[in-house]
Amino acid sequence: MLDKLKQALNEATDALKHQASQFGEGAKEKSFQLIEEWLQVFPKLELYGLRLTSFAISVALSPALEAELVGQHEDFRPERLDEILKEVKPNAALTSVFNAVRTTYNLHRRTYGDLNNPLVVKIKVRLSPEIKVYIGKPIIE
């Protein structure tokens, strides 16, 4: 009886390990696919005035790509951001970046603070991409 219980537990453990492995491989594959898609986006961001200043990749169970881009506030006035958003509408990644930039400027305007240079856009691509926009160079991350 004890042997049958051990065997059942071992089989269940093996099945869980196999499922976790399958899930891990699927997540890895999806992460690399997202990274490949974003690699096409960075040259387009440079055309709009966001210069790539830092680029990193982390290889783990869930791979990630991190990039930092820097721009000048003059290149992203409200009217220009509206034009850019119309131009990039078919591209979800570009739309996400410029919507984040526009939202950051809109919220910053409400603080009545100075526009400290530079404009910094940090992008982290993993299973759920993350975009951070800074006005001024962050001291603490």
Side-chain angles (χ1 to χ4, degrees), residues 81 85 92-106 133:
L81 278 169
L85 282 164
L94 287 172
T95 299
S96 296
V97 170
F98 289 112
N99 267 328
V101 170
R102 181 173 63 177
T103 300
T104 302
Y105 277 128
N106 288 340
V133 179

Side-chain angles (χ1 to χ4, degrees), residues 80-94:
R80 179 63 182 136
L81 278 169
D82 290 341
E83 290 172 13
I84 291 171
L85 282 164
K86 284 179 189 170
E87 291 172 19
V88 301
K89 192 172 187 169
N91 186 313
L94 287 172

Side-chain angles (χ1 to χ4, degrees), residues 114-129:
D114 293 331
L115 283 177
N116 297 316
N117 279 311
L119 169 67
V120 179
V121 177
K122 290 190 177 199
I123 299 171
K124 190 178 290 188
V125 179
R126 50 186 180 205
L127 281 179
S128 98

Side-chain angles (χ1 to χ4, degrees), residues 24 27-28 31-32 35 58-65 125-128:
K28 235 188 253 189
S31 292
F32 281 124
I35 288 169
S58 62
V59 180
L61 187 57
S62 179
L65 175 144
V125 179
R126 50 186 180 205
L127 281 179
S128 98

Side-chain angles (χ1 to χ4, degrees), residues 14-126:
D14 290 344
L16 283 173
K17 284 180 185 176
H18 179 70
Q19 286 179 348
S21 171
Q22 294 285 55
F23 177 75
E25 288 303 313
K28 235 188 253 189
E29 186 62 36
K30 181 66 177 166
S31 292
F32 281 124
Q33 181 183 358
L34 281 170
I35 288 169
E36 281 292 326
E37 290 172 15
W38 274 88
L39 290 175
Q40 312 283 318
V41 171
F42 294 117
K44 294 173 184 169
L45 289 170
E46 291 220 17
L47 292 174
Y48 285 103
L50 291 171
R51 191 178 87 258
L52 188 64
T53 57
S54 176
F55 185 88
I57 188 153
S58 62
V59 180
L61 187 57
S62 179
L65 175 144
E66 292 184 48
E68 179 182 272
L69 300 104
V70 174
Q72 297 301 312
H73 299 302
E74 309 79 62
D75 296 334
F76 299 100
R77 298 197 187 288
E79 311 78 38
R80 179 63 182 136
L81 278 169
D82 290 341
E83 290 172 13
I84 291 171
L85 282 164
K86 284 179 189 170
E87 291 172 19
V88 301
K89 192 172 187 169
N91 186 313
L94 287 172
T95 299
S96 296
V97 170
F98 289 112
N99 267 328
V101 170
R102 181 173 63 177
T103 300
T104 302
Y105 277 128
N106 288 340
L107 293 173
H108 183 267
R109 232 178 262 113
R110 292 171 53 189
T111 70
Y112 300 101
D114 293 331
L115 283 177
N116 297 316
N117 279 311
L119 169 67
V120 179
V121 177
K122 290 190 177 199
I123 299 171
K124 190 178 290 188
V125 179
R126 50 186 180 205

